[in-house]
Amino acid sequence: MSAARPPEGAHTAAAGEGIPSSAARPPEGAHTAAAGEGIPSNAARPPEGAPAGALLEVRDLALWLRSGDMPAPLLDGISFDIAAGQMLGLVGESGCGKTVLSRTLLGLHRPGSVARVAGSIRFAGRELGTLAERDWRALRGVGIAMVFQDPMTALNPVLTVGTQIGYALTCRLGLSRAQARRRTLELLEQVGMPDPARRAHQYPVQLSGGLRQRVVIALALSGNPQLLIADEPTTALDVTVQAQVLDLLDGLRRERRMAVLLISHNLAVVAAHADRVAVMYAGRIAEIGPSAALFAAPRMRYSAALLRALPRLHDDRQARLQSIDGRPPDWRALPAGCRFAPRCPQADARCAAEPPPLSGDLQTPHRFACWHPAPAGPALPQAAR
């Protein structure tokens, strides 16, 4: 395994960012380890016993992407907090804006693709909306890291996994090759990789889907991030491997007091692992609250419809699964009022004309945006939860 510069022209990728062109010098602003020094702790991480507060604060975030003659409003009024050591689950149908939000939090949109951004993103007390690209590069992987959906495309197929992790350690933390080699094996062992010394010399194509996902997680953890964004980290994995990967993420965030934004279509996964849940629909937060409260009694009609669509063990095998009629709105022709109104059986004229705000304020534990919220009682029988 080597942390040397890859062959000229080779594609490189690390969790949360492209690998910089120079391995000799870490990104500006990154912490550099002296020779013989161990892995540095993240200077921005709050000390033990520090008052609990939000690590990530998002306020009224809106984003328009360039799309033909008219910008597409992909995010609208997004507000939430994530505290250190907390896991926030983000759920919703495909196309609701979950991945757009995650890429916005990391400044990963293609140059020229964003028409306008409004609102605020504060990370560890620092406003991210005004960062220059070199500052984003210093932050990615060290402050905020990301696990992408498909590990096969997130990894470089022509470099061994050990080389890729070692290269990220050299660039992000300024480790020597020997330090990076040792730390690479430690990271692979930490994520449950069997025989890490041998696996470090293998290429991504030689690994199973579950092992590749563990490599991507090791890459994301290599910079000791304070916030990990996991975008569908168990996509295309079988149920057993899914459970292993999710238990791994859960254990690591408790051990490191790392905040996690878990993006998933799987409501059961989110219910089992997330402390809080945010439900997105058509670029807006439809409901947000503690996992136990939201899954026991969802108030927004869309959240309740998602839960009713889940299969239940006690149902008749011949019974037809419930579904949500219609489809999410076109970004180019969004409803004037509640964006779920065209699909909601309880919608009336007010729903069609006036968008409902989230109830309460940022200090309210359980918030929802609905003019006709579902009853506060249990939404599902106990056997179905």
Side-chain angles (χ1 to χ4, degrees):
M1 179 191 69
S2 171
R5 185 189 304 276
E8 192 69 31
H11 169 80
T12 55
E17 63 170 333
I19 293 178
S21 59
S22 173
R25 183 175 60 200
E28 187 168 335
H31 180 96
T32 303
E37 182 182 354
I39 296 300
S41 61
N42 197 316
R45 191 180 300 278
E48 287 297 323
L55 177 66
L56 178 71
E57 301 171 84
V58 180
R59 297 290 182 271
D60 298 318
L61 180 63
L63 179 138
W64 293 260
L65 289 185
R66 301 187 189 281
S67 177
D69 298 332
M70 184 176 64
L74 299 189
L75 300 177
D76 183 9
I78 303 293
S79 296
F80 63 88
D81 294 339
I82 307 180
Q86 186 180 71
M87 182 181 290
L88 173 67
L90 187 63
V91 300
E93 292 173 280
S94 295
C96 71
K98 302 187 300 296
T99 297
V100 172
L101 173 59
S102 69
R103 296 181 71 86
T104 303
L105 297 178
L106 272 168
L108 287 178
H109 293 295
R110 292 191 303 272
S113 65
V114 177
R116 181 188 168 202
V117 179
S120 170
I121 304 172
R122 294 185 67 83
F123 175 73
R126 182 185 188 187
E127 177 60 47
L128 304 186
T130 57
L131 291 189
E133 179 56 28
R134 68 175 183 177
D135 297 320
W136 274 116
R137 291 183 69 85
L139 178 68
R140 294 176 192 136
V142 179
I144 307 176
M146 186 165 180
V147 176
F148 292 96
Q149 291 187 26
D150 184 1
M152 195 61 186
T153 57
L155 295 171
N156 189 327
V158 301
L159 297 177
T160 65
V161 298
T163 297
Q164 295 182 60
I165 298 174
Y167 194 70
L169 288 165
T170 302
C171 293
R172 291 172 177 165
L173 302 180
L175 302 187
S176 67
R177 291 187 182 183
Q179 289 174 323
R181 189 176 299 113
R182 288 195 298 270
R183 182 57 178 157
T184 294
L185 297 182
E186 290 173 3
L187 285 166
L188 289 176
E189 184 174 2
Q190 189 175 23
V191 299
M193 179 71 74
D195 196 0
R198 180 171 67 90
R199 299 294 186 181
H201 293 281
Q202 293 184 325
Y203 293 88
V205 72
Q206 296 175 285
L207 303 178
S208 66
L211 294 184
R212 283 195 294 265
Q213 193 63 281
R214 292 173 190 270
V215 172
V216 171
I217 294 172
L219 266 170
L221 297 176
S222 63
N224 297 322
Q226 294 172 267
L227 171 64
L228 181 68
I229 300 174
D231 188 4
E232 296 283 357
T234 57
T235 298
L237 300 180
D238 63 59
V239 175
T240 303
V241 178
Q242 274 189 26
Q244 293 172 353
V245 170
L246 290 166
D247 288 344
L248 169 65
L249 286 175
D250 215 11
L252 289 171
R253 64 112 175 180
R254 296 179 189 278
E255 174 187 331
R256 294 169 171 241
R257 201 165 174 264
M258 178 177 64
V260 177
L261 176 60
L262 175 64
I263 301 172
S264 180
H265 290 96
N266 192 324
L267 297 178
V269 163
V270 172
H273 295 274
D275 302 303
R276 298 172 66 240
V277 179
V279 180
M280 280 193 74
Y281 185 78
R284 290 177 177 168
I285 297 289
E287 186 166 4
I288 184 169
S291 296
L294 193 149
F295 283 105
R299 304 301 308 281
M300 202 280 180
R301 295 291 177 173
Y302 174 63
S303 307
L306 283 179
L307 288 178
R308 285 197 300 271
L310 289 173
R312 301 170 178 80
L313 292 176
H314 66 280
D315 281 350
D316 186 342
R317 293 185 179 182
Q318 304 302 318
R320 183 181 294 273
L321 291 175
Q322 295 193 46
S323 61
I324 305 175
D325 293 336
R327 62 179 60 187
D330 191 312
W331 295 104
R332 296 164 295 184
L334 291 170
C338 175
R339 295 182 177 179
F340 186 60
R343 307 172 68 186
C344 180
Q346 284 75 31
D348 58 15
R350 186 185 188 188
C351 300
E354 187 179 349
L358 279 170
S359 60
D361 56 29
L362 289 168
Q363 306 307 316
T364 305
H366 190 173
R367 307 180 68 197
F368 49 90
C370 190
W371 293 124
H372 305 290
L380 294 175
Q382 185 66 33
R385 295 178 199 164

